[in-house]
């Protein structure tokens, strides 16, 4: 496994842990295909779809902004970003609901 895939795998696990600690049941996309990585359900049955991304920076150190694809926008899939310090945040700046 190359360094990029290793980092992505670790950050995927961080996302699962972060969501689980917030009371969500987390389901993985086992096919590795499709517009989202995770499907999460709370105790009330509310569902959110999440695509996990590792934060990327340009050579000047500025953060590359991640936005959902057109398909992800239509399907209300949120981008959950993991930075190099293990902090997680949604690309839209909104809290988890």
């Amino acid at each position: 496994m190359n360094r990029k895939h290793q980092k992505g795998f670790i950050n995927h696990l961080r996302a699962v842990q972060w969501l689980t600690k917030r009371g969500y049941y987390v389901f993985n996309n086992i096919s590795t295909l499709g517009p989202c990585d995770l499907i999460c359900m709370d105790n009330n049955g509310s569902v959110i779809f999440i695509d996990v991304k590792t934060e990327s920076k340009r050579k000047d150190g500025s953060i590359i902004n991640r936005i959902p694809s057109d398909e992800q926008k239509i399907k209300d899939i949120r981008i959950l970003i993991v930075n190099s310090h293990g902090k997680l945040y949604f690309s839209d700046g909104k809290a988890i609901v």
Side-chain angles (χ1 to χ4, degrees), residues 56-89:
S56 299
K57 294 185 180 181
R58 295 180 185 86
K59 289 182 181 179
D60 66 5
S62 62
I63 296 171
I64 296 172
N65 188 30
R66 301 283 188 182
I67 59 171
S69 67
D70 291 339
E71 180 182 11
Q72 289 173 324
K73 288 176 188 174
I74 291 167
K75 294 178 177 168
D76 199 25
I77 297 168
R78 297 182 68 192
I79 306 294
L80 181 61
I81 298 173
V82 185
N83 74 13
S84 60
H85 304 291
K87 180 183 175 196
L88 288 85
Y89 62 94

